[in-house]
Amino acid sequence: TATRGGSNADAQEKAAQSLTFSVPGGFYSGEFELSLTAPEGAKIYYTTDGTTPTSESQLYEGQFKISNVSGNNYVYAASEGVGYATEYRPSSIDQGTVVKAMMVDSSGRQSEIFSQSYYVGLESKGEYQDIPVISISPDPGDLFNYFSGIYVLGRTYEDAIAGGATKTEAANYRNDWLKDAHVEYYEPNKNKSYEGEAKIETIKDFSVTSAQKSLRLSNLNTEGWNGSSLFTYLRNNKTVLTLQTGRRDNNYQIREYLIHDLLKNTSVGVADLMPCHLFLEGEYWGIYMLRSDYDADYLARHYGV
């Protein structure tokens, strides 16, 4: 029980009923030691690369260090087959550490997967000031695997070529595949205001052939928003979120936002847009736009009806 403003002297320790992290995911100025806790008798297995842990993963035997891992050792942003409209590859990128853990009790029963993302040394960088951040962590294979990844050309594309297609619109990322993902949202001041599980898929707009693809998150839970600014941009009964690239404005990605900004104090109705930084599997993925729908909520906010 919280004892804010009072003494903790009378606090009683109780066994954790689930796996817990000693430090919540977020933005931190310096490195720190992370501890994982589970009920007595349970074993904890974890990963630090975003992959889904199993009983074959690293066995937790004590706290481990979370530090700044940004640099040129990125993995997923350099994946082959993410798009054929551009061949740009960054020389180095900002990165965080995605820790995923699960526990196995004394009867051999496995728990659900618990996930937290840590970004060290990025909080004070100028480009992150006053702009929200979304961190999305599926299993990397669900994005970049040749057979099943939704972010690559993959087997679907090569099967089409092998079948005689000379120009094909077939690709893994054009399939209507949904994957599980953990989502964390940080306000412009980098306080986390939402965390939960969702389904992720690519949006088949103009950007789908680029390395930076528009994404849709669905099945978000509708509880625990704590006044999150993300709530404004949900649609379809507040369970769907669109993360839009610049679409045909791929170079500068500001055209729609510029129009929105110029018209926001006029009587002309324009969609609510908010730029955000996206981290995918802990790797920086660039600027995206949160976009609201022209729905009943929009009309209520803008016109009071």
Side-chain angles (χ1 to χ4, degrees):
T1 301
T3 55
R4 183 176 181 178
S7 171
N8 291 319
D10 296 328
Q12 295 180 342
E13 282 192 12
K14 294 184 177 180
Q17 298 304 306
S18 64
L19 194 155
T20 59
F21 293 70
S22 62
V23 179
F27 285 75
Y28 296 92
S29 58
E31 63 184 29
F32 58 88
E33 298 289 333
L34 178 67
S35 299
L36 307 178
T37 306
E40 186 176 355
K43 293 181 178 180
I44 301 174
Y45 298 90
Y46 71 97
T47 62
T48 57
D49 60 357
T51 56
T52 301
T54 68
S55 57
E56 301 299 318
S57 300
Q58 178 72 38
L59 175 66
Y60 177 75
E61 297 179 308
Q63 63 183 13
F64 53 94
K65 185 175 294 185
I66 301 294
S67 59
N68 189 340
V69 294
S70 297
N72 59 6
N73 57 335
Y74 59 87
V75 176
Y76 307 120
S79 298
E80 294 300 320
V82 298
Y84 50 82
T86 176
E87 295 303 321
Y88 171 75
R89 293 290 185 273
S91 58
S92 64
I93 59 172
D94 289 341
Q95 292 177 266
T97 300
V98 178
V99 179
K100 293 185 178 180
M102 53 88 74
M103 58 185 178
V104 180
D105 67 16
S106 57
S107 299
R109 292 172 296 192
Q110 296 185 359
S111 73
E112 60 185 297
I113 305 300
F114 299 82
S115 179
Q116 292 291 294
S117 301
Y118 301 96
Y119 301 96
V120 177
L122 304 182
E123 184 177 12
S124 60
K125 293 188 69 172
E127 54 264 44
Y128 298 108
Q129 300 300 306
D130 303 320
I131 298 179
V133 170
I134 293 183
S135 177
I136 304 177
S137 306
D139 186 279
D142 286 341
L143 293 180
F144 304 108
N145 180 270
Y146 170 75
F147 295 99
S148 59
I150 65 172
Y151 212 91
V152 295
L153 286 162
R155 180 64 178 268
T156 302
Y157 174 77
E158 295 198 357
D159 281 349
I161 296 298
T166 56
K167 181 180 180 181
T168 180
E169 293 296 310
N172 282 15
Y173 51 64
R174 290 190 181 278
N175 297 330
D176 295 325
W177 292 347
L178 292 168
K179 303 293 182 177
D180 295 321
H182 185 75
V183 181
E184 296 164 85
Y185 177 75
Y186 301 90
E187 298 289 340
N189 62 6
K190 302 304 171 286
N191 288 335
K192 186 191 296 188
S193 64
Y194 174 74
E195 180 175 3
E197 307 306 312
K199 297 290 185 180
I200 184 174
E201 63 181 309
T202 57
I203 297 175
K204 287 71 179 175
D205 61 10
F206 182 80
S207 71
V208 76
T209 60
S210 301
Q212 190 188 41
K213 308 182 194 305
S214 296
L215 300 169
R216 180 179 294 111
L217 298 172
S218 57
N219 289 9
L220 283 86
N221 63 52
T222 56
E223 299 179 357
W225 287 96
N226 297 322
S228 174
S229 61
L230 190 64
F231 194 75
T232 299
Y233 299 93
L234 296 178
R235 57 191 183 85
N236 291 14
N237 295 320
K238 298 300 184 184
T239 63
V240 176
L241 179 69
T242 297
L243 286 169
Q244 176 188 299
T245 67
R247 297 191 291 188
R248 291 184 181 272
D249 184 20
N250 286 328
N251 289 330
Y252 302 106
Q253 304 194 41
I254 63 170
R255 182 170 57 198
E256 283 193 276
Y257 188 66
L258 176 61
I259 294 170
H260 162 270
D261 198 52
L262 291 172
L263 296 176
K264 65 182 180 181
N265 292 322
T266 74
S267 59
V268 178
V270 291
D272 294 320
L273 292 172
M274 181 167 64
C276 67
H277 292 289
L278 173 65
F279 282 84
L280 201 57
E281 299 298 358
E283 294 186 354
Y284 182 64
W285 221 257
I287 291 276
Y288 276 69
M289 288 288 174
L290 299 173
R291 181 190 184 100
S292 67
D293 250 9
Y294 293 114
D295 56 11
D297 287 342
Y298 175 90
L299 295 175
R301 286 196 307 274
H302 289 271
Y303 301 105
V305 296

